Amino acid sequence: VTEDRSDLEDLHLYATPREQRFRRFASLEFEGQLYMTPYDFIQAVTNDEPKCAKKWRSLSKQELNQILMETPPVWKGSSKLFRNLNEKGVISYTEYLFLLCILTKPHAGFRIAFNMFDTDGNEMVDKKEFLVLQEIFRKKNEKRERKGDEEKRAMLRLQLYGYHTSTNSVLKTEGEDPVPRSYWDTLRRSTSQALFSDLAERADDISSSLSDTTLLVHFFGKKGKAELNFEDFYRFMDNLQTEVLEIEFLSYSNGMNTISEEDFAHILLRYTNVENTSSYLENMRCRIPEEKGITFDEFRSFFQFLNNLEDFTIAMQMYNFASRSIGQDEFKRAVYVATGVKLSPHLVNTVFKIFDVDRDDQLSYKEFIGIMKDRLNRGFR
């Protein structure tokens, strides 16, 4: 059984950009709730649009159980987990948001993330603690909902969260935020309140009303009784980051050990606010006439640096370069001091050749940071 997207296309008008993207790439539906497959998720973070217009395929209870039965435990995870699962998995909207958070976090932040979930401080995360995530993201979304037909918004909530939600506040907050917070900031702030609100209690209600997902079974076992330790959690986050980078790298490498400097520039400028990328690419072609190539290690090290962009920004401000250009030596040193990542001279030179539009071998700090923040958040800043 399939449900044509056009039948519910007007719900798109009530959805945020992230919700719209999830609905566009999701391919499964179970009891009214939409899900991505692992393949859908990979497509959503590596492509601008789905490869083909999809219909939501309705899963039977038997099909869902079979998928979950084949889900490997967390200790069998790898940097090919999502590719191996392919279409045999279900990822909810709140899990999609959580996975997006992981992709942009530095390794130093993995412990913070784990501790946020570990609300009782026993160095283990159980299923109930993890399900608080559902409520936190749902409450954040409620604040962002577009006004309009209440019935349509209720249908949208059912699609994304799997149950009809009330508009009564669960989190105890003091007024609206003066600025919109990221999902990561919301998670960081809200989990600290979990023990002092009815949020944790509500996790029991959520657990009984929602179906298990691939991620829940992967983390907590088929009976939901297993607990997640930090080592397994860290490995999962690291593997996910590596897997997405491998997929992006391999899509350009054609089986070779390197990608061209121009391909690296293409990947770097995707999901950014740069409208005319041709000037950057032409600039680089003229200034790097002989192709040497970018290895996967260099490629990964640059994106590890991007995940530490906030610390790098602080380091640059301390260097007092905030309003002027910087050279390659200062750039390389600032990256290492702030993030511990050593970028190769060739990679730094390539980055400079891409962004040094006026060809003075200096990098415009503000322009570079602005573009890279867009790239880090894959267009959802």
Side-chain angles (χ1 to χ4, degrees):
V1 179
T2 60
E3 185 163 20
D4 196 326
R5 288 170 181 267
S6 61
D7 293 343
L8 295 168
E9 197 59 39
D10 58 342
L11 292 186
H12 233 49
L13 301 174
Y14 298 91
T16 65
R18 280 196 193 274
E19 292 169 349
Q20 289 174 1
R21 190 167 185 81
F22 180 82
R23 294 176 81 247
R24 202 158 58 242
F25 280 88
S27 62
L28 299 176
E29 176 270 329
F30 178 71
E31 294 183 348
Q33 184 175 0
L34 298 183
Y35 294 93
M36 282 181 167
T37 65
Y39 176 81
D40 294 334
F41 175 77
I42 292 297
Q43 291 297 307
V45 296
T46 58
N47 290 298
D48 297 326
E49 296 290 337
K51 288 189 175 179
C52 57
K54 299 176 185 175
K55 294 182 177 181
W56 296 315
R57 183 172 73 86
S58 291
L59 281 178
S60 68
K61 184 70 174 174
Q62 184 178 2
E63 287 175 313
L64 178 61
N65 288 340
Q66 185 59 41
I67 286 174
L68 297 178
M69 282 294 292
E70 296 175 15
T71 300
V74 69
W75 53 272
K76 283 191 175 181
S78 73
S79 63
K80 289 185 170 57
L81 176 68
F82 281 64
R83 282 171 285 185
N84 289 341
L85 288 171
N86 198 18
E87 300 282 1
K88 293 184 177 179
V90 290
I91 298 168
S92 70
Y93 176 63
T94 48
E95 290 170 343
Y96 165 69
L97 295 176
F98 169 62
L99 295 174
L100 288 181
C101 284
I102 288 177
L103 291 180
T104 61
K105 288 304 121 193
H107 285 194
F110 290 0
R111 167 56 79 173
I112 297 170
F114 183 81
N115 289 345
M116 288 191 308
F117 285 115
D118 179 23
T119 51
D120 62 6
N122 70 344
E123 292 295 311
M124 304 291 282
V125 171
D126 60 31
K127 185 177 178 181
K128 179 180 175 180
E129 287 173 319
F130 187 79
L131 281 173
V132 169
L133 175 82
Q134 298 270 3
E135 274 300 280
I136 291 169
F137 284 168
R138 181 183 72 79
K139 292 307 300 177
K140 176 178 176 59
N141 181 72
E142 261 183 24
K143 288 185 178 181
R144 288 185 169 183
E145 279 187 349
R146 300 184 180 181
K147 302 301 180 185
D149 189 323
E150 176 58 36
E151 184 181 347
K152 293 284 176 60
R153 287 194 289 124
M155 290 171 64
L156 184 61
R157 287 188 216 121
L158 179 63
Q159 278 191 350
L160 297 173
Y161 299 100
Y163 53 94
H164 290 287
T165 62
S166 68
T167 54
N168 295 326
S169 178
V170 175
L171 291 179
K172 296 175 176 62
T173 57
E174 296 180 8
E176 293 296 312
D177 294 333
V179 293
R181 291 177 179 268
S182 70
Y183 283 96
W184 183 259
D185 288 337
T186 303
L187 180 61
R188 182 167 50 195
R189 183 185 61 166
S190 301
T191 44
S192 64
Q193 302 174 22
L195 289 179
F196 308 103
S197 71
D198 59 347
L199 203 57
E201 293 174 17
R202 188 164 164 76
D204 286 330
D205 299 332
I206 298 168
S207 181
S208 61
S209 64
L210 290 184
S211 300
D212 272 343
T213 62
T214 297
L215 213 54
L216 289 174
V217 172
H218 184 60
F219 285 161
F220 308 110
K222 295 176 176 63
K223 294 182 179 179
K225 302 297 184 184
E227 292 184 313
L228 187 65
N229 62 38
F230 175 67
E231 288 72 25
D232 288 335
F233 184 71
Y234 183 102
R235 195 181 311 112
F236 173 82
M237 296 177 80
D238 185 44
N239 281 337
L240 178 64
Q241 288 187 355
T242 301
E243 180 160 14
V244 170
L245 290 176
E246 280 178 355
I247 290 167
E248 290 190 295
F249 185 87
L250 291 170
S251 68
Y252 284 90
S253 68
N254 297 317
M256 305 292 285
N257 292 326
T258 61
I259 59 174
S260 70
E261 288 80 359
E262 185 173 342
D263 288 338
F264 175 69
H266 272 293
I267 295 172
L268 214 53
L269 294 170
R270 289 177 70 192
Y271 309 114
T272 69
N273 55 11
V274 175
E275 294 180 1
N276 184 18
T277 60
S278 58
S279 61
Y280 288 92
L281 297 175
E282 184 58 36
N283 183 56
M284 193 204 62
R285 287 189 205 104
C286 295
R287 304 189 67 196
I288 308 181
E290 291 188 12
E291 189 176 295
K292 180 180 176 182
I294 303 292
T295 67
F296 180 70
D297 283 343
E298 288 176 316
F299 183 76
R300 180 167 55 182
S301 70
F302 185 82
F303 283 94
Q304 285 176 340
F305 149 65
L306 273 196
N307 285 348
N308 286 273
L309 195 61
E310 199 173 305
D311 291 337
F312 171 76
T313 303
I314 294 170
M316 293 309 299
Q317 288 168 343
M318 290 178 68
Y319 274 147
N320 199 28
F321 286 127
S323 58
R324 55 195 175 100
S325 300
I326 56 173
Q328 293 193 26
D329 287 342
E330 294 100 335
F331 180 83
K332 194 161 53 173
R333 174 168 166 73
V335 170
Y336 180 68
V337 167
T339 70
V341 175
K342 286 188 176 181
L343 301 181
S344 72
H346 174 61
L347 183 64
V348 172
N349 183 54
T350 302
V351 170
F352 267 65
K353 295 301 185 283
I354 295 170
F355 291 99
D356 178 20
V357 179
D358 60 5
R359 305 188 181 188
D360 64 350
D361 207 30
Q362 299 283 303
L363 199 65
S364 168
Y365 167 82
K366 285 187 176 178
E367 183 180 34
F368 174 75
I369 291 294
I371 294 172
M372 288 301 94
K373 279 184 177 177
D374 249 18
R375 179 58 179 85
L376 176 63
N377 293 286
R378 296 178 179 267
F380 284 119
R381 233 170 102 191

